[in-house]
Amino acid sequence: MNVVALSGGVGGARLVEGLCRALDGKLTVIVNTGDDCRHWGLAICPDLDTVMYTLAGVGDAARGWGLRGDTFTAHEAMRAFGEPAWFSLGDRDLATHLTRTAALARGEPLDAVTARLSAALGVTARVLPMSNEPAPTLVDTTEHGLLPFQEWLVLRRAPEVRGVVLPSGVAALPAARQAIDAADLVVIGPSNPYVSIEPILALPGVRDALSRRPVVAVSPIVGGAAVKGPLAEMIPRLSGVAPSAQAILDRYDGLVSAFVVERGDEIRGVPSLATDAVMRAPEDRLRLAREVLDLGARVRR
Ligand code: FO1
């Protein structure tokens, strides 16, 4: 089965890792780059790196970003020089950002350097940025107005949101569009729809291409709470309803053919599977991935 997954950071990356194992590495992942930023002059792609590190089995699972066992000596040295230290880059993680920054400066496209980094890490899945062009997500906050994504999430600790501004006219990566067109099944991971998945959906042609494919999504809301991050607080502000799995399904507005939710979180509108949707242990990733693929096979018929 030709499977394409759309992913943001932690939750999406965990499901992608399970899918990759379930499919013996035959998986294409299209990753949000709306949260990319520049820090100390370096090109940082947090969601791409979280997906690559998780697939390579070297990510810090507890923190959800960066490399397991990394140290922060350079970070402390930068702090001592008076450089901004609100965004932590680990010593080994820096090698990724240095390699990417140098490659982009030489004119290498983001998908090419991502493929090189993935291969060097031993990743077998095809990891694609959603675009080779910058596509920064801005978060409109009640208190501070428009903020770049990482300044909103990390520097300001996710203050109240009144909108999300996505760039227009940024081209989707052609290989991502082709992968969707060739997919037997598209999986949307348990990522934040507003700031992780909608930046991908907003690229010209992507929503249309997805509407022609079976799409199985996994709810990032469990029992009315977000598995991680500020999603639960964003739903009432951005969709005007209480946080629930149904609110996520409705947000995807007809795009999703079948939905995986936590037991007890019933939804209406599409076929669903109620299961243990929170991936705590590595076995959960493979089990959930298989359940997603089984559900996908059923909605394809
Ligand atoms: N998240 C934090 O909460 N604090 C950090 O200092 C931080 C640094 C960081 C560095 C590299 C990277 O790839 C991710 C990093 N993240 C950090 C995570 C990131 O802000 C978000 O989790 C994603 O952008 C949302 O998917």
Side-chain angles (χ1 to χ4, degrees):
M1 190 157 57
N2 217 338
V3 179
V4 169
L6 309 188
S7 183
V10 192
R14 286 183 183 159
L15 181 65
V16 158
E17 195 270 329
L19 287 168
C20 189
R21 274 194 279 156
L23 295 163
D24 291 326
K26 288 198 289 295
L27 172 71
T28 298
V29 194
I30 301 171
V31 184
N32 170 44
T33 56
D35 64 336
D36 290 7
C37 64
R38 285 256 159 193
H39 192 68
W40 306 335
L42 299 174
I44 320 290
C45 301
D47 284 355
L48 270 178
D49 291 347
T50 300
V51 168
M52 283 193 306
Y53 293 164
T54 305
L55 283 170
V58 295
D60 185 310
R63 209 170 42 214
W65 52 268
L67 289 154
R68 189 170 59 243
D70 210 351
T71 50
F72 291 84
T73 308
H75 181 84
E76 290 314 319
M78 292 299 276
R79 187 199 299 279
F81 281 142
E83 293 299 321
W86 57 268
F87 197 71
S88 308
L89 297 178
D91 295 324
R92 277 196 296 131
D93 190 28
L94 274 172
T96 302
H97 312 310
L98 287 166
T99 302
R100 178 188 293 121
T101 306
L104 294 175
R106 286 194 301 270
E108 192 174 335
L110 182 59
D111 63 333
V113 65
T114 303
R116 275 201 301 122
L117 291 166
S118 293
L121 287 164
V123 171
T124 49
R126 194 156 70 121
V127 179
L128 303 177
M130 65 183 197
S131 177
N132 269 342
E133 300 167 26
T137 296
L138 297 177
V139 181
D140 191 12
T141 63
T142 313
E143 198 182 342
H144 311 281
L146 281 181
L147 293 174
F149 182 84
Q150 297 298 343
E151 286 181 32
W152 168 70
L153 183 68
V154 178
L155 178 63
R156 307 261 185 196
R157 295 174 194 277
E160 187 178 87
V161 169
R162 59 182 178 197
V164 173
V165 181
L166 302 175
S168 59
V170 174
L173 191 78
R177 282 287 313 275
Q178 286 152 16
I180 294 171
D181 288 339
D184 299 309
L185 176 66
V186 176
V187 177
I188 299 182
S191 299
N192 183 317
Y194 307 102
V195 292
S196 295
I197 301 299
E198 287 176 13
I200 307 176
L201 302 183
L203 301 172
V206 169
R207 200 177 249 278
D208 261 11
L210 287 171
S211 68
R212 293 189 287 271
R213 315 258 51 101
V215 177
V216 174
V218 178
S219 178
I221 289 284
V222 162
V227 178
K228 192 173 189 289
L231 174 59
E233 295 76 52
M234 295 172 83
I235 296 173
R237 299 288 309 167
L238 298 178
S239 297
V241 295
S244 67
Q246 186 71 50
I248 301 293
L249 177 64
D250 293 345
R251 182 71 193 182
Y252 285 127
D253 195 19
L255 199 68
V256 169
S257 334
F259 201 38
V260 177
V261 298
E262 180 69 23
R263 280 191 198 90
D265 286 347
E266 304 307 330
I267 55 103
R268 57 190 185 280
V270 297
S272 65
L273 172 77
T275 182
D276 183 358
V278 184
M279 292 167 282
R280 293 181 186 85
E283 319 75 88
D284 294 330
R285 302 176 184 182
L286 183 58
R287 186 230 348 119
L288 187 61
R290 287 186 172 141
E291 289 173 337
V292 165
L293 295 173
D294 285 350
L295 183 60
R298 272 189 278 142
V299 291
R300 281 173 61 211
R301 272 186 224 122

